[in-house]
Amino acid sequence: MRVPPSKSCAHRLVLGAALADGTSTLGNVALSEDILATLDCVKALGATVESNGGMLKIGGCGSSCLTPKESLPRLACRESGSTLRFLIPTAMLGGGGIFCGTERLIARGIGIYEELFAPFADIQKGKTEIDIRGRLSAGRYCLTGNVSSQFITGLLFALPLLEGDSTLEILPPFESRGYVDLTVDILRRFGIEIRQKSELCFAISGGQRYTPICEEVEGDYSQAAFFYGLNFLGGDVRLTGLDPHSLQGDRVGVELFGNMKNGYMEADLSDCPDLAPILFAMAASGECGARFTGTRRLAIKESNRAEVMAKELAKFGADVKVLENEVEIGKRALHAPTVPLCGNNDHRIVMALSVLATRFGAQIEGAEAIAKSYPAFFEDMRGLGLEILEYDT
């Protein structure tokens, strides 16, 4: 089967196209809930979007995004953390915006931005929205690298459009570095230069402008991981559409699944947290045990992924211990669950549990959460010969 297009790449390509002077064409775009959120937001900022199947034509707002707005735009982020964190600095080019989302999204927080922008912005938070008033300025920004790379990406997109030069310094540990490398590479395609002064410091020249592009979105290694899981359980799924030289951080999944086949494994997930749910599920199914470190940030995803997976895997009989920054999977034989599983409104939890259910059978409540990133997931699973019954509760 062909792997669905990368959500990480699509977010970045859509934002770059929205900031360009002219019209960009993006192919192979999957209109998941998260990507629809980003499209809604760039339209609120002045870009135009034409959609035809998996093809998008985006008319960028170019330098007009720097013009102060008479009234703050309202940006509906739905449940997309990438949309929220990527778009805040861009909205502040024109004076700010009102960002709306679910309670869980707002609760996940934008603490790094609140600290960075405190000298020149007023940020008010409610249960389902964040009101930001203030204009982004060029200068020196220093932020921690162990919370989310999305804050770094947001600044890298906006700072080149300001007149002055800026520097972006990262305090170690620098986690999810692969996502930042992906951002820098995509910015380069739009004609934006980000210079790396050192391993932890980026130099951004001001006065740059985005040029339109014509690109196809590459296959998604994050989604491919669920099909690696099917192969780990004995399947023979042959995937196409993946770039073997991709800068996606989750490309490491190929190596991690290979290591898991050899028995007990240890792995650091600091740079690939989205792989955690499927790796936890497969480590438990292998009955060999595993130890995963770098798991602290799983608590601020769509759900508290370490705690949630421990709870749901326990229904299969798994022994999962969640510590401050690590997860241990014990050596224990699994069995079919006797009670329904819960998707916890988290797309990756639903997909990881679905893969494990192909061995034991299971009922998953809240399975509609897949629409966030991979609406066709169950359709593609059926295409591989798996039996799936959908019903309304």
Side-chain angles (χ1 to χ4, degrees):
M1 63 160 284
R2 184 173 178 82
V3 173
S6 166
K7 184 163 70 81
S8 296
C9 290
H11 277 303
R12 290 163 170 80
L13 288 168
V14 167
L15 180 52
L19 293 173
D21 290 298
T23 299
S24 296
T25 301
L26 305 179
N28 194 35
V29 181
L31 298 179
S32 64
E33 288 291 323
D34 280 8
I35 297 304
L36 288 171
T38 294
L39 289 171
D40 286 344
C41 288
V42 298
K43 286 190 286 186
L45 291 175
T48 62
V49 178
E50 295 180 25
S51 176
N52 182 12
M55 182 78 69
L56 296 177
K57 283 190 176 181
I58 299 178
C61 47
S63 57
S64 66
C65 65
L66 298 167
T67 304
K69 308 297 187 291
E70 292 185 7
S71 60
L72 293 184
R74 196 170 185 85
L75 298 99
C77 300
R78 307 189 190 194
E79 290 187 303
S80 176
S82 295
T83 303
L84 175 66
R85 293 164 179 167
F86 287 2
L87 269 293
I88 285 176
T90 294
M92 291 179 66
L93 293 171
I98 300 172
F99 292 82
C100 313
T102 62
E103 287 191 31
R104 174 60 184 173
L105 174 64
I106 303 304
R108 288 168 64 186
I110 58 164
I112 287 182
Y113 283 155
E114 291 179 272
E115 182 179 340
L116 286 179
F117 302 153
F120 53 83
D122 177 34
I123 301 178
Q124 301 294 327
K125 292 172 59 178
K127 282 189 175 181
T128 58
E129 67 180 41
I130 304 173
D131 187 313
I132 302 177
R133 298 170 189 267
R135 299 199 68 185
L136 189 68
S137 60
R140 174 182 174 272
Y141 290 90
C142 184
L143 62 164
T144 57
N146 64 346
V147 177
S148 174
S149 63
Q150 293 169 352
F151 297 102
I152 302 170
T153 286
L155 286 165
L156 288 174
F157 267 96
L159 290 174
L161 292 171
L162 298 172
E163 287 306 313
D165 298 342
S166 300
T167 57
L168 192 56
E169 298 178 21
I170 314 302
L171 298 177
F174 192 172
E175 298 179 356
S176 295
R177 176 61 187 260
Y179 288 102
V180 177
D181 292 339
L182 180 64
T183 296
V184 172
D185 180 65
I186 288 177
L187 286 171
R188 176 188 53 77
R189 302 179 209 177
F190 285 100
I192 299 296
E193 180 185 7
I194 306 294
R195 291 180 291 111
Q196 190 167 329
K197 295 176 66 176
S198 70
E199 191 70 18
L200 299 172
C201 184
F202 298 93
I204 303 108
S205 298
Q208 300 189 62
R209 294 294 178 262
Y210 285 74
T211 56
I213 64 171
C214 181
E215 291 257 348
E216 289 236 336
V217 180
E218 65 181 74
D220 195 329
Y221 274 94
S222 303
Q223 309 294 28
F226 299 104
F227 300 99
Y228 297 149
L230 290 176
N231 288 344
F232 181 79
L233 295 178
D236 183 16
V237 183
R238 303 173 193 181
L239 302 177
T240 63
L242 291 170
D243 179 0
H245 305 294
S246 173
L247 293 176
Q248 294 177 54
D250 287 348
R251 185 163 64 95
V252 73
V254 177
E255 176 184 344
L256 294 178
F257 274 98
N259 294 343
M260 194 181 296
K261 290 180 180 179
N262 297 325
Y264 178 85
M265 70 174 295
E266 295 189 357
D268 183 354
L269 305 184
S270 299
D271 290 332
C272 54
D274 285 344
L275 296 182
I278 186 62
L279 288 172
F280 294 170
M282 295 303 96
S285 75
E287 302 174 18
C288 295
R291 176 175 174 264
F292 298 100
T293 57
T295 58
R296 183 185 294 110
R297 285 191 296 126
L298 297 180
I300 59 171
K301 294 292 186 178
E302 285 81 346
S303 68
N304 185 331
R305 285 181 175 164
E307 295 287 354
V308 163
M309 284 301 294
K311 180 180 178 182
E312 299 306 314
L313 290 175
K315 297 175 182 178
F316 290 90
D319 174 26
V320 182
K321 292 184 175 62
V322 179
L323 306 175
E324 180 187 359
N325 197 33
E326 63 183 75
V327 171
E328 296 178 355
I329 313 287
K331 301 178 181 180
R332 184 180 292 180
L334 304 190
H335 56 71
T338 58
V339 296
L341 306 175
C342 178
N344 290 271
N345 198 37
D346 190 325
H347 53 134
R348 298 197 191 279
I349 298 295
V350 172
M351 291 187 280
L353 295 176
S354 297
V355 173
L356 187 56
T358 65
R359 169 173 283 185
F360 299 99
Q363 176 180 314
I364 304 174
E365 297 178 347
E368 65 274 9
I370 60 164
K372 188 175 193 299
S373 67
Y374 192 172
F377 176 71
F378 289 120
E379 180 183 342
D380 287 349
M381 293 275 276
R382 285 196 187 96
L384 298 173
L386 296 162
E387 296 180 11
I388 300 169
L389 175 65
E390 293 184 47
Y391 63 96
D392 295 324
T393 54

